[in-house]
Amino acid sequence: MGNGPQWAPLEIDPAGAGAEATPDGLARHLRGLADLEGLLTREKALVFRGFGIGPGELDPVLDLLLPNRLAYVHGNSPRTKVGKNVYTSTEYPPKYTISMHNEMSYAHRWPARLAFYCERAPETGGATPVVDGTRWLEALDAEVRDAFAAGVRYNQNLHDGLGLGKSWQDTFETGDRADVEAYLKESGAEWEWRPDGGLRVSQLRPATVEHPVTGDEVWFNQADQWHAAGLGDETAAALAKIMPAADLPQSVTYADGSPIPPEHVVQVRDRGLAAAVDVGWRAGDLLLIDNVLVGHGRRPFTGPRRVLVAMSD
């Protein structure tokens, strides 16, 4: 699986940066960098530790790391908006692992960068694993890579305010159907409004992409998170009893509409996690990642944990 030493994010602390151990010290360091974008592309992920960033000091730092913060429009994860295009990380029970993924790889536009901020560290666990997308791709069997070569088709059933999963209003951050249709038309998605007021969306997306600067081919899809088998055997069996796959809040097939075998999904999920490097959290830490070169997830944890996320193009 890949050649050379294991990849890991670059850690930057006040001593290494020659900066004061304060939020202002980090801000001055970031302003003094000749090429933050180039540094992030080379290193793929950066961890800023020891600068004592409190919640009230986060915005000025994010403005430097993410000059054009984006709204989480068409996002499928449950989140709460807490600031200027700042959101809670995926709100998912703490006992479960969140598998590796690139943010919004199922959409026609995805963020180029993500920043994670630890407001409150958990008592145990709760690391954010990050994975080099080239290593993840290389870790998969040739049979699996070939099966996904034509891409994947993502399907969503979004209710009108009452039902399983997210509503279309929450997903698109609007209650205006015309705005939703304009977004979907631009994205090339297929959609239909259902008699009960819900919305069905289908979109074909690639399974791998090339980074626009490095040219590296990376695994870049969320098939395992959209497939019932990625949730575990018991959950998949329970969902199958409730409704057919076509009616689930979200599902995925190969590009031609044929089903993806559960064993392919499990291999993608497990090998991505196996290739990942854990970023543990202390309050005030920041993690900046290139969202194409690096996938991310979440390890289980105990105790309160509050990690916020923002994204930019």
Side-chain angles (χ1 to χ4, degrees), residues 200-254:
R200 188 190 299 270
V201 180
S202 179
Q203 48 191 341
L204 179 63
R205 299 288 178 245
T208 67
V209 298
E210 292 185 358
H211 190 271
V213 176
T214 68
D216 291 340
E217 184 183 12
V218 298
W219 186 252
F220 194 80
N221 68 82
Q222 285 171 245
D224 67 300
Q225 293 194 330
W226 286 58
H227 196 293
L231 301 174
D233 292 342
E234 291 184 6
T235 303
L239 286 173
K241 291 180 180 178
I242 296 172
M243 61 183 68
D247 292 333
L248 291 171
Q250 59 188 41
S251 59
V252 64
T253 66
Y254 287 130

Side-chain angles (χ1 to χ4, degrees), residues 92-223:
Y92 195 58
K95 68 178 181 179
Y96 296 116
T97 296
I98 297 177
S99 62
M100 309 310 296
H101 60 285
N102 303 79
E103 200 63 47
M104 297 183 70
S105 59
Y106 50 82
H108 76 294
R109 285 200 306 263
W110 47 77
R113 297 182 189 179
L114 302 180
F116 297 87
Y117 165 70
C118 181
E119 181 176 316
R120 184 170 185 178
E123 291 177 7
T124 64
T128 294
V130 288
V131 63
D132 181 330
T134 58
R135 289 177 178 262
W136 191 3
L137 177 61
E138 292 167 1
L140 302 176
D141 292 349
E143 174 191 3
V144 173
R145 295 196 300 268
D146 291 345
F148 278 91
V152 294
R153 180 168 293 279
Y154 299 99
N155 304 294
Q156 288 176 288
N157 290 295
L158 305 169
H159 60 77
D160 190 32
L162 183 64
L164 188 62
K166 293 181 71 174
S167 70
W168 62 264
Q169 294 93 334
D170 286 341
T171 298
F172 294 97
E173 293 194 0
T174 181
D176 190 325
R177 287 192 176 197
D179 289 344
V180 174
E181 290 179 358
Y183 179 94
L184 293 173
K185 183 177 180 180
E186 181 188 359
S187 74
E190 301 170 12
W191 76 91
E192 63 173 331
W193 294 102
R194 306 182 67 174
D196 61 3
L199 175 66
R200 188 190 299 270
V201 180
S202 179
Q203 48 191 341
L204 179 63
R205 299 288 178 245
T208 67
V209 298
E210 292 185 358
H211 190 271
V213 176
T214 68
D216 291 340
E217 184 183 12
V218 298
W219 186 252
F220 194 80
N221 68 82
Q222 285 171 245

Side-chain angles (χ1 to χ4, degrees), residues 7-46:
W7 169 82
L10 175 66
E11 292 199 9
I12 299 173
D13 60 17
E20 295 178 4
T22 64
D24 285 343
L26 175 57
R28 283 191 289 272
H29 172 68
L30 293 173
R31 292 191 194 100
L33 288 175
D35 185 10
L36 174 61
E37 184 173 351
L39 177 64
L40 180 60
T41 299
R42 288 194 304 275
E43 300 294 339
K44 306 183 181 182
L46 309 172

